Amino acid sequence: MELKDLYRDVILDHNKRPRNFGRIEPSDGHADGHNPLCGDRLSVFVRLNGDRVEDIRFEGKGCAISTASASLMTEAVKGKDKTAISALFEKVHSLLTQQDSVPDAQLGKLAALSGVREFPARVKCASLCWHTLNAALDRGASTVSTE
């Protein structure tokens, strides 16, 4: 199986069976995200223990890339602190936007998002959940747009 096929399978799996889908009530932070270009809408809920994400969930409707990215993100950040999440976001952002970026071993399944950079209009679909998570980690309720 080629690497592209493996990545496609990961995206399809996380779109069909998203992990950590649902709400956290009560949550320590919540934010809503919207990508007007694609129509993606999602909400991210976090429960924190200090600066560490104890639990994270998302809900909403979006394209396959948006849903898969949110599912992969929730698995990757659960248990991590804000500093580690910020570093992970930078690696994902580089993977999505820089043509010469090679998936870092620390990305794990998030490396599946590397194919998105071939479709610049879809980068916002893959990054919406990350921007929404950043807003939720500010411990307030807010709305994020990719516009």
Side-chain angles (χ1 to χ4, degrees), residues 113-129:
L113 298 173
S114 65
V116 173
R117 69 175 165 233
E118 302 300 321
F119 307 96
R122 305 311 295 256
V123 169
K124 289 182 178 183
C125 301
S127 62
L128 176 64
C129 60

Side-chain angles (χ1 to χ4, degrees), residues 18-127:
R19 281 52 156 194
N20 302 303
F21 191 83
R23 300 175 79 91
I24 296 175
E25 305 253 357
S27 64
D28 295 312
H30 160 251
D32 299 312
H34 178 228
N35 177 359
L37 183 66
C38 189
D40 302 328
R41 289 189 178 275
L42 66 88
S43 297
V44 173
F45 304 87
V46 292
R47 182 170 298 131
L48 302 171
N49 184 355
D51 272 359
R52 188 168 303 282
V53 172
E54 188 172 90
D55 198 8
I56 180 171
R57 298 197 176 271
F58 79 99
E59 65 179 11
K61 293 190 184 273
C63 67
I65 298 293
S66 177
T67 301
S69 183
S71 177
L72 288 161
M73 177 196 72
T74 61
E75 285 192 324
V77 304
K78 194 179 284 189
K80 289 187 173 38
D81 64 27
K82 289 181 181 182
T83 302
I85 291 169
S86 180
L88 191 57
F89 169 75
E90 291 304 320
K91 289 178 184 190
V92 170
H93 187 264
S94 174
L95 185 71
L96 292 171
T97 60
Q98 296 178 13
Q99 289 299 324
D100 60 346
S101 180
V102 177
D104 185 302
Q106 293 177 331
L107 288 175
K109 289 182 182 178
L110 288 168
L113 298 173
S114 65
V116 173
R117 69 175 165 233
E118 302 300 321
F119 307 96
R122 305 311 295 256
V123 169
K124 289 182 178 183
C125 301
S127 62

Side-chain angles (χ1 to χ4, degrees), residues 33 51 78-79 120 134 137 146-147:
D51 272 359
K78 194 179 284 189
N134 286 336
L137 288 174
T146 59
E147 249 182 344

